[in-house]
């Protein structure tokens, strides 16, 4: 935040210097050429077929949604004139439907009109049963999407929906052109290579050349709705290499103007920044690194279809005192400092963003408290054995600790293992290839969903600004189990009827302030049950050259949400 | 020979002694190869460093000491410390142990496999065709991609069966071995084909020696020289392959600091702490270099045309 | 000779097919999952649909034959059509990469130029350096030049490229700042300046590879020269009073080149497979880079196709080496 403010300050200061090109003097293409580097290269320009953040970001400057979140997390009209609400009648009183009206005179980059039919088509494209659309959940619970007239779209829901701003909102739900994609429905979607690589959009840029996993060339869209924008005429969107190389290209050699996702060791970033050519941009969204504690017994002695299911509660972790001790023994400040530096913040909550929904009640976790942890374990009846590891009823306090293979995570594992050993808990470490760990193959024993371990560490987040679906995941019955082909996101198999009741209340509540209170209450209930151990809130980290103006990092939407307004600071 | 004594005298002495083992001649020849002796010295030093070193330098390579992280060379940490304050010297010894062990084990396994197939193909006419086709097939496989696939494929099942350390170790050793036995097999087959027509083999066969005994007693000892040479080359290439795999992030996981892995992890820090890349790189290179020199010397020493010159 | 070539060719085809089947079956058992690299916000139900849309439902042999048909007929026809501009592309589904959802063949065609430029040049320079060094080393055996050359080639061949590469980057890119730290694929050589830029951006990888290849080839060259220098025909030529230069460069060199040429031919496929590591270090977006990234995200169609192409190259160049040997050395006839 601080760094970003500093940059904004620099931009503001630059704007005041006389002789500068003022904002109103700028016109389309006047800033020339922009170089962007994504060290994980973009593989397709159709976000529906990829689901990856990098594809979403790249396509967001071509394809646009009806409304998106600005850098403060506020809903902003984009292809419409106003956001439909209960007050202006856009959202039905019974919360069963929402009606959007497109801005008049919008053009696709090929010069044709944008109509409501395109919006309806987008819905059909993504919900086609054979399409494998990655953002299909955006359209869950929708009964129909219909074109009322050329500019008006009505979305009808199956149930009362207090948050109707999921479909067609944000970078994950852009509008595609019906004329272009009409032949690409369902199973044919991946075969439309030209369409997927060169989509026609409403955004400030069009794709001039696309090389998968390598480099993209963009040109300004001649039919963009703001006649003076975008300020950059062309963009080269390079891919490949690694985070270090990308950071070096912005900070030290100046080969690049903007670099995305620089997850680097704090010392490396500091050193790079001293190159002086760029600024680090950090902002915090809902992404949080955590340790999940298994409430069920993952013992390999159990039959495969009973392992880690609700039939067998965990012999050690079912005791809240053990869970609390494990959490108290962790020094989150140190973890943050070592793993993430300025790009991380110690976390004590389940919901770490947006700021208004973050609970202030759990900050005591910031202090490592070995005495308290030891006392809790003593109280729970775990006595120290001869080797320092605690024993109860002949059983050692030993936990299998798994995570994905990743240098920072292995550092965290080693550190936490050492702290837990100090309180007499033995952690056996295990790391699994990320492709397997985060995979969804129900046949694999090593996915984080199956959770055939006692504790596991990973990072998770939610889309947009509404944590309701994220909180919903921890309800009873949402746990992965054999009957559901191990689908479900209640990873730690948490089950608390009070929590479920409170969530149901949240899901019915339209009033924003009351919703905030409920989110905080749910968060506190979950955290004070020590149902999982938050570790570090991880920021989005990008780097921009000092000569780049107009940008503002956005954690709620694509980082390139206002790409049209980026410009070159002349000196 | 460096022996300056008159030829006749020397021969007399020889006649009085029991027949000298041929390996002594090889050793005599080997000793004259300066590069090979130097390589031998370096290789033994490295072996001592990784296997005996931890007895002298008794620091736990996994011990985290946050206060002394990212340090340069000092008396407490001669090679400095890493980002968690772990001692790099100890990690280098521990990592070298794995790297060298992988090299030796993969070489041995590849050698056994290659020799077995070579002898079978050379001695038994029936098996020659199929076995050599299989060898050609393996030679045509793109090895590095295949290794990468093997590793992604079997890492997790093996980890499950043997535990993380033993699982990855077994996998890497086996993967390297089954992609590197072909040259040995070809050379051994060629030698066996020639040997099997020689009189001493015919003689052994004519008195009814079973095939297994002919092979172990008469043929194998005579193909030892090419096997020894491919053994040294095998160690070198196995160490390089293991490091390359770790370097691509597909070998040992980060908590097993092999030289290749330390080098890979150190790449991000190359500007601030070049030592983290240079030390493991130098150790890998020195090991491979010394082994290659030994192989060179061995080849010369085992070549009867050169021996005695 | 002709029948021999035919026979070898006839054997090469099943070899390649068996390899393709092995690779295909192995990847089929792979635990990695193409949805594993997607963000966690995508729910499991959707992931299941994505997996179905990738065609993971069919039995393995059906997928293999589909793939083989696409690989052997459809993809080459498209490549040929693109290269020549003729309208000969065969219709039908093409091999689609899971990650990009686009034809694998197109990506490979985009990647080959970089690989050829960087790795191929490294090989060519390696040969150009190795031959004279090998010749002089052998001719002046045990001289200081030979000693130094042998030692350097031993070092060059023992030090892994991933270490030399990293050291080169540290010295020339980070400390001295002479060369750019990443490869720009979009760069086009139009004039002198852009040519210089191209030279600068390929200088480091080419140097590292040239060093490595030169070490290997110069050892062969030296050994082969030594073998020939002791032959009777050399003595005869000298006895006839031929100039030493003619003896060496015409008679000995020509004969010594025979085994070296075959070694060079056999080594060409390693130009491509070896690129995996070099491209990774120098961030060149080539074929090896495509392969390794496909492995990271479990993009099996891509991995299969590239591995298969590597296998074809190896078999093909082994064949070429054999035939070449027969042509160059009349003493060897296989019939």
């Amino acid at each position: 935040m601080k760094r970003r403010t500093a940059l904004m300050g620099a931009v503001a200061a630059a704007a005041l210097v006389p002789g500068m090109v003022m904002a109103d003097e700028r016109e389309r293409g006047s800033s020339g050429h922009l170089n962007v580097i994504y060290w994980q290269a973009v593989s397709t320009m159709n976000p529906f077929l990829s689901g990856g953040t990098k594809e979403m970001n790249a396509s967001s400057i071509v394809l646009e949604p009806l409304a998106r979140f600005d850098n403060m997390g506020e809903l902003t009209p984009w292809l419409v004139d106003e956001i439909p609400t209960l007050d202006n009648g856009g959202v039905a009183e019974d919360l069963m439907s929402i009606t959007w009206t497109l801005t008049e005179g919008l053009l696709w980059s090929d010069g044709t009109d944008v109509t409501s039919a395109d919006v309806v088509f987008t819905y059909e494209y993504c919900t086609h049963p054979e399409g494998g659309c990655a953002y299909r959940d955006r359209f869950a619970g929708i009964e129909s999407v219909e074109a009322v007239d050329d500019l008006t779209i009505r979305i009808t829901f199956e149930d009362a929906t207090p948050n109707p701003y999921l479909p067609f909102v944000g970078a994950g739900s852009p509008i595609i052109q019906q004329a272009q994609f009409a032949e690409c429905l369902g199973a044919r979607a991946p075969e439309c290579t030209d369409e997927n690589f060169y989509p026609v959009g409403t955004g400030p840029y069009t794709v001039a050349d696309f090389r998968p996993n390598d480099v993209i060339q963009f040109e300004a869209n001649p039919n963009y709705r703001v006649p003076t924008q975008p300020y950059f005429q062309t963009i080269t969107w390079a891919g490949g290499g690694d985070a270090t190389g990308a950071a070096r290209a912005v900070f030290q050699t100046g080969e690049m103007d903007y670099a995305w996702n620089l997850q680097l060791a704090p010392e490396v970033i500091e050193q790079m920044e001293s190159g002086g050519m760029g600024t680090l941009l950090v902002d915090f969204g809902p992404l949080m690194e955590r340790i999940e504690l298994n409430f069920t017994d993952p013992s390999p002695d159990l039959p495969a279809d009973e392992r880690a299911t609700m039939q067998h509660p965990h012999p050690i972790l079912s005791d809240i005192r053990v869970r609390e001790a494990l959490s108290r023994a962790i020094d989150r400040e140190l973890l943050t400092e070592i793993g993430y530096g300025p790009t991380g913040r110690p976390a004590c909550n389940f919901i770490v963003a947006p700021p208004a929904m973050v609970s202030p009640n759990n900050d005591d976790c910031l202090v490592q408290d070995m005495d308290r942890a030891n006392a809790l374990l003593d109280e729970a009846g775990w006595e120290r054995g001869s080797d320092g590891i605690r024993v109860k009823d002949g059983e050692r306090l030993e936990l299998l600790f798994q995570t994905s293979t990743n240098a920072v995570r292995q550092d965290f594992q080693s550190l936490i293992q050492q702290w837990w050993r100090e309180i007499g808990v033995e952690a056996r470490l295990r790391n699994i290839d990320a492709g397997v760990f985060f995979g969804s193959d129900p046949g694999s024993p090593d996915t984080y969903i199956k959770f055939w371990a006692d504790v596991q560490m990973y990072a998770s987040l939610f889309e947009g600004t509404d944590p309701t679906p994220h909180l919903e995941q921890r309800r009873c019955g949402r746990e992965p189990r054999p009957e559901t082909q191990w689908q479900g996101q209640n990873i730690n198999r948490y089950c608390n009827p009070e929590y479920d009741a409170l969530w149901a209340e949240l899901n019915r509540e339209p009033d924003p302030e009351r919703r905030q209170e409920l989110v905080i209450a749910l968060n506190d209930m979950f955290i004070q049950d020590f149902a999982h151990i938050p570790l570090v809130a991880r920021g989005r980290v990008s780097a921009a050259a000092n000569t780049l103006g107009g940008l503002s990092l956005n954690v709620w939407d694509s980082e390139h949400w206002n790409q049209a307004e980026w410009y070159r600071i002349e000196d | 020979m460096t022996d300056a004594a008159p030829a006749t005298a020397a021969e007399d002495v020889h006649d009085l002694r029991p027949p000298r083992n041929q390996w002594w001649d090889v050793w005599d020849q080997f000793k004259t190869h300066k590069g090979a002796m130097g390589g031998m010295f370096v290789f033994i030093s490295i072996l001592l460093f990784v296997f005996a070193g931890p007895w002298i330098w008794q620091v736990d390579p996994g011990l985290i000491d946050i206060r002394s992280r990212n340090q340069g060379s000092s008396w407490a940490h001669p090679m400095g410390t890493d980002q968690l304050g772990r001692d790099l010297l100890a990690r280098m010894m521990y990592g070298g142990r794995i790297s060298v062990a992988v090299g030796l084990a993969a070489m041995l396994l590849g050698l056994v496999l290659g020799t077995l197939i070579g002898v079978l193909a050379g001695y038994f006419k029936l098996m020659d065709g199929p076995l050599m086709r299989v060898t050609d097939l393996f030679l045509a496989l793109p090895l590095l991609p295949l290794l990468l696939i093997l590793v992604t494929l079997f890492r997790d099942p093996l980890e499950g069966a043997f535990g993380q350390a033993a699982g990855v170790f077994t996998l890497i050793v086996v993967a390297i071995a089954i992609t590197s036995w072909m040259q040995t097999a070809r050379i051994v087959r060629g030698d066996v084909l020639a040997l099997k027509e020689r009189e001493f083999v015919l003689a052994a066969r004519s008195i009814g020696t079973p095939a297994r005994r002919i092979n172990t007693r008469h043929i194998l000892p005579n193909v030892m020289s090419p096997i020894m040479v491919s053994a040294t080359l095998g160690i070198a290439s196995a160490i390089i392959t293991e490091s390359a795999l770790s370097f691509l992030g597909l070998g040992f996981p980060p908590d097993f600091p092999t030289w290749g892995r330390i080098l890979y992890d150190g790449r991000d820090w190359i500007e601030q702490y070049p030592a983290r890349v240079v030390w493991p790189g130098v150790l890998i290179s020195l090991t491979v270099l010394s082994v290659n020199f030994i192989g060179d010397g061995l080849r010369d020493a085992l070549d009867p045309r050169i021996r005695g010159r | 000779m002709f029948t021999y070539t035919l026979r070898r060719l006839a054997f090469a085809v099943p070899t390649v097919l068996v390899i393709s089947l092995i690779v295909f079956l192995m990847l089929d058992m792979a635990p990695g999952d193409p949805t594993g690299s997607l963000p966690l916000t995508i729910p499991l139900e959707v992931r299941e649909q994505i997996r179905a849309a990738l065609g993971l439902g069919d039995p393995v042999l059906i997928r293999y034959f589909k793939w083989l048909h696409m690989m052997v007929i459809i993809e080459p026809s498209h490549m040929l059509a693109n290269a020549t501009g003729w309208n000969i592309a065969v219709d039908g589904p093409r091999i689609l990469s899971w990650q990009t959802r686009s034809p694998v063949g197109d990506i490979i065609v985009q990647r080959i130029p970089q690989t050829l430029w960087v790795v191929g040049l490294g090989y060519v320079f390696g040969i150009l350096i190795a031959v004279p060094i090998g010749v002089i080393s052998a001719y002046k055996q045990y001289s200081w030049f030979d000693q130094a050359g042998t030692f350097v080639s031993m070092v060059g061949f023992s030090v892994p490229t991933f270490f030399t590469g990293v050291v080169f980057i540290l010295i020339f890119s980070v400390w001295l700042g002479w060369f750019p730290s990443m490869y720009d694929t979009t760069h086009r050589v139009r004039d002198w300046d852009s040519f210089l830029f191209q030279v600068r951006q390929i200088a480091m990888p080419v140097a590292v590879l040239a060093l490595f290849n030169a070490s290997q080839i110069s050892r062969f060259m030296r050994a082969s020269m030594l073998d020939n220098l002791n032959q009777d025909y050399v003595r005869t030529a000298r006895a006839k009073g031929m100039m030493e230069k003619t003896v060496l460069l015409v008679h000995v060199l020509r004969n010594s080149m025979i085994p070296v040429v075959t070694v060079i031919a056999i080594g060409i496929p390693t130009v491509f497979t070896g690129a995996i590591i070099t491209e990774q270090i120098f961030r060149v977006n080539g074929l090896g880079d495509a392969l390794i990234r496909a492995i990271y995200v479990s993009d099996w169609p891509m991995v299969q196709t590239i591995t298969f192409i590597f296998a074809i190259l190896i078999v093909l160049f082994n064949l070429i080496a054999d035939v070449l040997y027969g042509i160059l050395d009349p003493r060897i006839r296989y019939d």
Side-chain angles (χ1 to χ4, degrees), chain A residues 103-182:
Chain A
T103 304
E104 235 170 297
L106 279 178
L107 293 179
W108 292 102
S109 58
D110 61 4
T112 55
D113 288 332
V114 179
T115 66
S116 51
D118 292 311
V119 181
V120 175
F121 175 78
T122 303
Y123 167 74
E124 283 164 5
Y125 179 87
C126 192
T127 52
H128 195 285
E130 286 161 22
C133 171
Y135 292 107
R136 190 160 176 184
D137 61 315
R138 295 299 184 95
F139 300 108
I142 290 182
E143 195 179 278
S144 70
V145 175
E146 49 201 329
V148 179
D149 60 45
D150 266 4
L151 296 177
T152 315
I153 306 106
R154 188 188 304 117
I155 305 170
T156 314
F157 298 101
E158 287 165 356
D159 289 312
T161 308
N163 175 21
Y165 306 116
L166 269 180
F168 310 118
V169 174
S173 202
I175 313 296
I176 54 176
Q177 191 192 30
Q178 181 177 24
Q180 190 185 21
F181 281 92

Side-chain angles (χ1 to χ4, degrees), chain A residues 357-533:
Chain A
M357 296 194 181
V358 178
S359 161
N361 307 328
N362 304 305
D363 291 345
D364 58 332
C365 94
L366 289 175
V367 185
Q368 186 185 26
D369 191 346
M370 289 295 187
D371 297 337
R372 174 97 182 101
N374 273 316
L376 280 163
L377 289 175
D378 289 339
E379 194 184 308
W382 291 92
E383 308 282 343
R384 292 244 186 204
S386 55
D387 58 348
I389 301 302
R390 290 169 189 272
V391 186
K392 182 165 127 181
D393 307 332
E395 200 191 352
R396 275 163 63 86
L397 186 37
E398 192 179 275
L399 301 169
L400 177 60
F401 182 5
Q402 71 178 17
T403 188
S404 72
T405 308
N406 162 319
V408 174
R409 291 209 170 111
Q410 266 73 74
D411 285 356
F412 276 25
Q413 269 188 319
S414 310
L415 276 165
I416 292 168
Q417 182 188 42
Q418 196 154 319
W419 288 324
W420 283 354
R421 195 176 289 141
E422 283 175 40
I423 58 165
V425 179
E426 177 83 302
R428 279 187 298 127
L429 304 186
R430 181 157 185 264
N431 58 71
I432 301 157
D433 180 67
V436 176
F437 189 60
F438 295 116
S440 62
D441 181 357
S444 166
D446 295 318
T447 58
Y448 80 108
I449 298 159
K450 256 195 189 159
F451 202 176
W452 284 358
D454 300 305
V455 294
Q456 67 183 0
M457 176 168 61
Y458 63 94
S460 187
L461 74 167
F462 54 88
E463 293 274 345
T465 52
D466 179 20
T468 315
H470 198 59
L471 289 164
E472 194 263 352
Q473 291 171 355
R474 305 299 168 138
R475 286 164 66 210
C476 300
R478 295 286 280 149
E479 68 278 354
R481 56 187 186 276
E483 300 85 64
T484 59
Q485 272 71 48
W486 296 96
Q487 299 199 353
Q489 284 289 341
N490 190 351
I491 301 299
N492 57 352
R493 284 81 162 143
Y494 181 69
C495 187
N496 181 349
E498 284 175 50
Y499 181 92
D500 291 4
L502 202 57
W503 181 83
E505 197 183 332
L506 170 68
N507 197 37
R508 284 188 307 266
E509 182 59 58
D511 175 50
E513 275 175 31
R514 177 72 189 133
R515 285 178 69 84
Q516 280 179 12
E517 286 168 27
L518 284 169
V519 167
I520 290 175
L522 278 163
N523 172 80
D524 289 352
M525 188 180 283
F526 192 66
I527 288 295
Q528 284 157 17
D529 228 355
F530 293 92
H532 88 172
I533 305 179

Side-chain angles (χ1 to χ4, degrees), chain A residues 195-211:
Chain A
E195 289 80 358
N196 293 334
F197 286 178
Y198 300 92
V200 172
T202 52
Y205 290 91
T206 59
V207 190
D209 183 23
F210 182 86
R211 298 185 198 189

Side-chain angles (χ1 to χ4, degrees), chain B residues 27-42:
Chain B
W27 173 241
D28 282 343
Q29 178 65 33
F30 185 81
K31 276 195 298 193
T32 64
H33 196 297
K34 275 189 221 127
M37 287 308 283
M40 191 85 138
F41 176 73
V42 173

Side-chain angles (χ1 to χ4, degrees), chain C:
Chain C
M1 193 63 215
F2 182 67
T3 48
Y4 171 77
T5 313
L6 272 187
R7 215 171 55 224
R8 281 300 313 267
L9 203 61
F11 179 66
V13 173
T15 307
V16 167
L17 286 182
V18 171
I19 291 177
S20 74
L21 184 64
I22 293 176
V23 172
F24 196 93
L25 290 179
M26 273 180 44
L27 287 177
D28 189 66
M29 298 187 295
D33 179 340
T35 61
S37 48
L38 297 180
L40 296 186
T41 44
I42 294 177
L44 289 157
E45 296 81 14
V46 177
R47 282 166 193 255
E48 208 41 55
Q49 281 168 351
I50 295 177
R51 283 163 57 81
L54 293 174
L56 282 167
D58 287 343
V60 58
L61 274 180
I62 291 181
R63 271 183 289 140
Y64 172 67
F65 284 113
K66 273 187 185 168
W67 173 80
L68 199 65
H69 172 245
M70 295 189 279
M71 183 67 224
V72 178
I73 298 172
I74 300 178
E75 289 298 330
S77 78
H78 278 268
M79 286 188 198
L80 211 63
N82 287 341
T84 57
W86 299 335
N87 190 18
I88 50 166
V90 179
D91 278 338
R94 304 184 61 186
I95 305 176
L96 294 182
S97 148
W98 286 347
Q99 195 192 4
T100 69
R101 307 293 187 92
S102 68
V104 168
D106 293 356
I107 301 175
I108 291 174
V109 168
Q110 281 172 3
R111 295 306 184 95
I112 283 179
Q114 289 89 275
T115 300
L116 279 182
W117 260 105
V118 174
V119 194
L121 265 186
Y123 203 61
V124 171
F125 278 121
I127 297 168
L128 292 181
I129 301 169
V131 170
I133 290 182
V135 170
I136 302 173
S137 282
Y139 190 66
K140 302 240 163 110
Q141 199 186 3
Y142 304 130
S143 68
W144 68 266
F145 184 90
D146 180 32
Q147 305 275 6
T150 319
F151 182 73
V152 170
S153 76
M154 190 62 128
V155 172
F157 153 87
S158 301
V159 179
T161 47
F162 56 80
F163 181 49
T164 27
V166 170
V167 170
F168 268 50
I169 289 181
L170 179 66
I171 297 176
F172 297 109
S173 192
V174 177
W175 286 349
L176 299 174
W178 290 354
F179 303 116
S181 55
M182 71 186 85
Y183 190 89
D184 177 4
T185 336
T186 54
H187 184 72
R188 294 275 162 279
V189 177
R190 268 178 249 97
D191 50 19
W192 181 243
D193 282 343
S194 58
F195 173 73
L196 278 185
F197 180 82
Q198 178 68 13
V199 169
R200 278 175 50 221
Q201 75 170 353
I202 64 174
M204 282 199 297
V206 168
V208 166
L209 284 172
L211 188 72
F212 184 73
N213 291 322
S215 312
Q216 253 175 336
I217 299 168
S218 73
R219 282 164 66 87
F220 276 108
M221 192 69 221
R222 175 176 179 271
S224 171
M225 283 291 283
L226 280 178
D227 272 356
N228 275 288
L229 279 169
N230 294 329
Q231 298 279 326
D232 290 341
Y233 73 86
V234 179
R235 206 173 304 141
T236 314
R238 282 183 181 145
K240 283 200 308 185
M242 280 179 122
M243 293 216 320
E244 192 62 17
K245 205 170 131 191
T246 324
V247 174
L248 190 69
L249 294 184
V250 177
H251 295 234
V252 181
L253 182 61
R254 218 189 245 179
N255 280 308
S256 311
M257 281 307 283
I258 296 170
V260 176
V261 165
T262 58
V263 163
I264 290 173
I266 290 177
I268 287 177
T270 59
V271 166
F272 293 92
T273 51
I276 296 173
I277 288 176
T278 331
E279 290 181 356
Q280 205 54 24
I281 300 167
F282 294 103
R283 291 135 194 163
V284 178
N285 287 325
L287 213 50
D289 175 79
L291 176 70
I292 197 94
R293 280 174 195 270
I295 289 179
Y296 285 151
V297 296
S298 308
D299 184 359
W300 299 147
M302 189 81 172
V303 179
Q304 273 152 9
T305 309
I306 297 182
T307 316
F308 185 65
I309 289 177
F310 285 163
I312 292 179
L313 287 175
I314 295 175
V315 172
L316 186 71
F317 278 97
N318 273 321
L319 188 68
I320 290 176
D322 275 4
V323 173
L324 215 56
Y325 206 86
I327 294 172
L328 292 176
D329 191 344
R331 287 171 300 180
I332 296 178
R333 287 292 182 207
Y334 298 96
D335 309 281

